[in-house]
Amino acid sequence: MLNRDEKLPAIKLTIIQYVIVGILLILLFGLWRLQVVGASNYRAMAEANRIRKVPILAPRGKIFDREGRLIVDNYPSVSCFLVREQGHDYMADLPLIARGLHMTVEQIEAILKKYRTAPKYQPLPLKQDITPDEQEFIEAHRDEMPELETIDEQRRLYPRDGFAAHLVGYVGEVSEEMLDDPRYAYYAPGDVVGRSGVEESYDSILRGTDGSRDVLVDSHGREMGRLGTEHAIPGKSLKLTIDIDIQRAAENALGDRNGAVIAIDPHTGEVLAMVSRPTYDPNAFAVRIGREEWSKLITDPAHPLLNKAIQAQLAPGSTFKIIMALAGLQEGIAQTLNVDCRGGANFYGHYFRCWVHSGHGAVNITRGIFQSCDVYFYTLAERLGIEKIAKWAHMLGLGQKTGIDLPNEVAGTMPSEEWKMRNFHQKWYAGETISVGIGQGAVAATPVQMVRALAGIASGGALKRPHVVFPDELPPEYRKAILDSFPGSGDVTIPIDPANWETITDAMAKVMDPGGTDYSARLEGIDFAGKTGSAQTMSNALAQRMGHAKSMQDNAWFVGFSPRRNPDIAVCILFEGGEHGTLAGRLAARVIEAYVNKQRREHKNVEQPKTVARVDVGAIWSDPAHPQVYGGRAVVAHPKAGQDASLAAMHGGHFYLTIPPVEAAVR
């Protein structure tokens, strides 16, 4: 029994009592917070553990040609995702998962590392487009590996053999660099986006909106039921300006040759066909391209991923002489310029050869065009000077983007005094102008720039912005934003004297006549005009030092259209290493012929109208009531043309007359 001295002092006992009461109050407060204040929060957390949100991926919109024929479709696919919020140690399951999905543990670990910063609730894509046996593996191990989830989705199905690959583009997983771009602020890691071509330009329209499905799961993550569904909104389909028939003709014409083809409707700027070689298979990107295949594509010296129709910046060679001819005529110089070509000439102390070493003899502007006399255009360049050449070239869109609605268009180069000072801090020397006169030197253009410029000249000065999607196909809320994202020269009208316009287009029609530079490209019964070009890829001196056969390394160009004035189709061919423009001209002729023959078939070979005439002054006379000939411009000749004629319309500086029925012969 304790004595009085061993009893606790009253003050200590009081302190202990207060401590005990304080601890009880703290415990009661904590219990109150848990049971009352935090009830709704914890109830939501418990509900989240019980309900899983499974994404429903929206299918991308389909892509059609101008006639509604399918180009790009979707196919059903199943992908496997890893769900990390099951309270399950999925790391221990990696070897079994790898075997069942025909992967390696290292591949899975690389995926986990890639998405290490992703939120815990976000499923991680393990393998896309899994096979039926892999689906069976997941279902068979559902209880022991609840972290594996399958999701149905629609994957892209592109044409075989790289048909229209550079135009259409491909889709792929959004990269970390893209996620840092404000344009991709609404995307999450693992999302599929357009990475090239139309797929990239119009991704916001094609993409659609993903939905989700709320699934009831137990504590092991096993699905127990479904609560509700937010349906996905499919992406909108697009109708392109491309004509599959013309595209096929262009693909077949270029074949396995390296280069590009682009065909446009000069009246509207609609792109009818676009080909770039070498090509690639966009289906390889639809799932996930392998590292080895990707490395092969990006290291290939032929650049298969480069869309050469809008990205190849090369010297245009003699096709540039048409721009020179327009500048010379508009400046009042070429009309009276006559040159005696003896195979070359001296300018500023240097001898410049003509491509015909024996010479062309007496040459005027017409002969200079259809025989492509270098000496004539050397002389014209000397008379014009670089500033006047640059002025007209810039007016025709060289040295600037056209604004075509495809990603990564390049601007090319049109040299001038200001350009050289800005880029090299040097003055321009007059001798440099001579090479510019034949499309060499510092001049660099893309096929889309050349076809637009020359088609614009043939259209009397009306240059249209090239485009691959009909603007009225775009939702109003997207239209301006998308088109404004492709800055360029757009639609432009430049003043061209009708006499100069006729001189140039008539001379270009003679290119395919005997004595022209490309008689082999002549098309019987088709009013076809064009210009050949051959451009050096290196100087003759350098080629000799390197031991190359120089002629085999020239790039061949051709720009042609039909009919010769106010054309309905214009085509540019770039044939890399094609040696001479004549080889490119034959390829262009195949595209032009395919187009004209299709127009004639569609109009069922209706008898040629007898109420259309072309008068001696050289203007084009057309009866708007008979659009079936040459797509709207029938050109016929009759000795009584112009007599008793009544003015029907005047458009773009061209007179359209209707004359009484007379016997006429198709020209």
Side-chain angles (χ1 to χ4, degrees):
M1 194 171 173
L2 293 174
N3 56 35
R4 292 181 180 272
D5 295 334
E6 292 176 333
K7 290 183 179 180
L8 290 173
I11 188 169
K12 288 184 178 181
L13 184 60
T14 301
I15 292 174
I16 292 173
Q17 290 173 341
Y18 278 115
V19 169
I20 293 173
V21 171
I23 293 174
L24 290 174
L25 289 174
I26 291 173
L27 292 174
L28 288 172
F29 177 74
L31 184 62
W32 177 77
R33 283 190 59 194
L34 289 172
Q35 296 294 327
V36 181
V37 177
S40 59
N41 182 48
Y42 288 105
R43 188 179 300 112
M45 292 176 64
E47 194 72 14
N49 287 331
R50 192 168 64 90
I51 299 174
R52 181 193 304 164
K53 192 173 287 291
V54 178
I56 301 175
L57 305 182
R60 289 179 75 83
K62 298 179 181 181
I63 298 177
F64 300 88
D65 88 330
R66 66 189 297 117
E67 296 179 3
R69 292 172 291 185
L70 187 63
I71 299 176
V72 179
D73 200 356
N74 300 309
Y75 70 92
S77 172
V78 178
S79 295
C80 177
F81 285 75
L82 179 71
V83 180
R84 298 169 292 166
E85 49 180 355
Q86 302 295 339
H88 181 78
D89 183 15
Y90 58 83
M91 294 299 293
D93 295 335
L94 294 190
L96 180 58
I97 294 174
R99 286 197 302 273
L101 296 181
H102 303 100
M103 301 172 69
T104 65
V105 174
E106 290 74 20
Q107 287 176 314
I108 297 178
E109 289 176 342
I111 293 172
L112 296 176
K113 182 179 180 181
K114 178 180 179 181
Y115 295 105
R116 62 185 179 275
T117 60
K120 201 75 172 176
Y121 60 82
Q122 179 181 318
L124 305 185
L126 282 186
K127 189 172 185 179
Q128 300 167 328
D129 209 21
I130 61 177
T131 61
D133 64 302
E134 291 167 344
Q135 294 181 50
E136 292 176 4
F137 163 79
I138 295 171
E139 290 301 323
H141 295 79
R142 181 71 68 184
D143 290 341
E144 56 191 291
M145 290 188 298
E147 66 269 21
L148 294 185
E149 183 67 71
T150 58
I151 296 178
D152 295 331
E153 50 186 326
Q154 296 283 319
R155 296 207 169 274
R156 277 316 213 194
L157 182 62
Y158 296 102
R160 293 180 299 173
D161 303 320
F163 184 88
H166 293 87
L167 169 71
V168 171
Y170 61 89
V171 295
E173 189 176 325
V174 64
S175 66
E176 293 182 12
E177 294 78 13
M178 295 170 69
L179 292 173
D180 293 332
D181 190 321
R183 293 179 301 170
Y184 299 94
Y186 297 102
Y187 293 81
D191 283 351
V192 172
V193 298
R195 299 294 297 269
S196 177
V198 170
E199 292 277 28
E200 179 178 342
S201 296
Y202 293 94
D203 182 74
S204 58
I205 293 176
L206 292 166
R207 176 176 166 78
T209 304
D210 292 341
S212 62
R213 183 176 67 249
D214 291 335
V215 177
L216 187 67
V217 295
D218 62 13
S219 59
H220 297 287
R222 291 174 297 202
E223 184 174 327
M224 305 299 293
R226 298 184 179 183
L227 299 179
T229 300
E230 182 182 349
H231 296 285
I233 302 174
K236 298 182 183 299
S237 295
L238 280 180
K239 181 185 287 188
L240 305 186
T241 61
I242 300 303
D243 185 318
I244 282 182
D245 298 319
I246 309 306
Q247 179 72 26
R248 186 178 295 111
E251 300 260 358
N252 292 337
L254 192 58
D256 294 329
R257 305 171 183 89
N258 285 355
V261 181
I262 181 168
I264 68 170
D265 180 343
H267 303 299
T268 60
E270 295 165 9
V271 177
L272 302 174
M274 180 182 289
V275 183
S276 182
R277 289 287 189 274
T279 189
Y280 63 94
D281 182 9
N283 290 296
F285 295 87
V287 181
R288 180 179 290 171
I289 191 168
R291 181 176 299 179
E292 183 177 344
E293 189 174 356
W294 172 251
S295 178
K296 183 179 178 181
L297 284 172
I298 61 175
T299 58
D300 189 330
H303 306 295
L305 294 178
L306 185 76
N307 185 352
K308 295 175 182 176
I310 64 171
Q311 293 176 301
Q313 304 179 88
L314 299 168
S318 293
T319 57
F320 186 77
K321 291 175 181 176
I322 301 303
I323 296 173
M324 288 291 301
L326 179 67
L329 289 168
Q330 289 293 118
E331 295 291 338
I333 297 173
Q335 290 88 338
T336 57
L337 180 62
N338 293 280
V339 172
D340 182 17
C341 174
R342 299 185 179 182
N346 283 295
F347 298 93
Y348 305 105
H350 294 278
Y351 186 74
F352 292 82
R353 283 187 174 276
C354 184
W355 73 276
V356 175
H357 292 179
S358 60
H360 289 98
V363 181
N364 61 8
I365 182 62
T366 296
R367 193 176 180 195
I369 290 173
F370 75 77
Q371 291 194 338
S372 198
C373 177
D374 289 339
V375 172
Y376 185 90
F377 287 96
Y378 290 150
T379 307
L380 182 58
E382 180 189 36
R383 300 282 183 89
L384 283 169
I386 190 61
E387 290 307 296
K388 288 182 180 178
I389 296 172
K391 180 188 80 171
W392 285 96
H394 284 141
M395 290 172 67
L396 289 163
L398 270 68
Q400 55 194 303
K401 297 179 181 180
T402 65
I404 189 170
D405 49 341
L406 290 173
N408 304 316
E409 181 190 8
V410 297
T413 301
M414 184 58 227
S416 64
E417 292 179 358
E418 186 272 336
W419 167 84
K420 189 174 181 185
M421 182 59 69
R422 183 180 69 249
N423 289 278
F424 300 99
H425 306 291
Q426 297 176 0
K427 64 172 291 187
W428 180 269
Y429 294 98
E432 298 175 87
T433 307
I434 305 305
S435 294
V436 171
I438 61 167
Q440 296 276 183
V443 181
T446 62
V448 68
Q449 288 175 326
M450 293 308 298
V451 73
R452 177 174 177 265
L454 270 62
I457 293 174
S459 299
L463 284 79
K464 298 296 182 179
R465 174 180 184 164
H467 54 277
V468 300
V469 172
F470 292 104
D472 57 5
E473 284 285 310
L474 305 178
E477 63 270 22
Y478 287 100
R479 189 176 304 162
K480 188 176 187 304
I482 288 179
L483 295 180
D484 287 350
S485 65
F486 300 99
S489 51
D491 291 352
V492 177
T493 300
I494 61 175
I496 296 180
D497 188 302
N500 298 337
W501 171 65
E502 292 160 8
T503 296
I504 291 172
T505 50
D506 284 342
M508 292 179 74
K510 292 182 178 181
V511 167
M512 274 67 73
D513 286 346
T517 56
D518 200 0
Y519 181 65
S520 65
R522 182 179 179 83
L523 295 172
E524 292 297 332
I526 296 177
D527 187 19
F528 178 32
K531 183 69 187 78
T532 57
S534 180
Q536 294 180 343
T537 56
M538 65 176 70
S539 68
N540 290 327
L542 179 58
Q544 291 175 358
R545 288 199 300 270
M546 298 180 66
H548 290 300
K550 179 65 194 75
S551 62
M552 294 304 296
Q553 295 183 349
D554 288 353
N555 290 327
W557 287 78
F558 185 90
V559 181
F561 35 80
S562 178
R564 74 184 70 181
R565 285 194 272 273
N566 282 326
D568 300 315
I569 182 173
V571 180
C572 180
I573 304 283
L574 166 63
F575 179 6
E576 292 181 316
E579 183 178 355
H580 296 300
T582 55
L583 301 179
R586 297 168 197 170
L587 308 183
R590 293 169 61 181
V591 181
I592 295 285
E593 186 175 33
Y595 174 84
V596 174
N597 287 341
K598 179 173 181 177
Q599 298 301 307
R600 290 174 174 174
R601 286 194 305 271
E602 290 178 350
H603 294 105
K604 300 178 181 178
N605 295 317
V606 177
E607 182 183 358
Q608 309 291 353
K610 300 297 192 300
T611 59
V612 184
R614 175 182 170 190
V615 297
D616 295 336
V617 295
I620 292 182
W621 306 82
S622 173
D623 181 2
H626 297 85
Q628 63 269 27
V629 183
Y630 296 134
R633 273 160 300 285
V635 182
V636 300
H638 189 274
K640 294 183 180 180
Q643 297 183 12
D644 302 321
S646 59
L647 182 62
M650 181 177 177
H651 177 68
H654 314 305
F655 293 94
Y656 292 81
L657 303 183
T658 302
I659 63 174
V662 293
E663 184 179 352
V666 176
R667 178 170 175 151

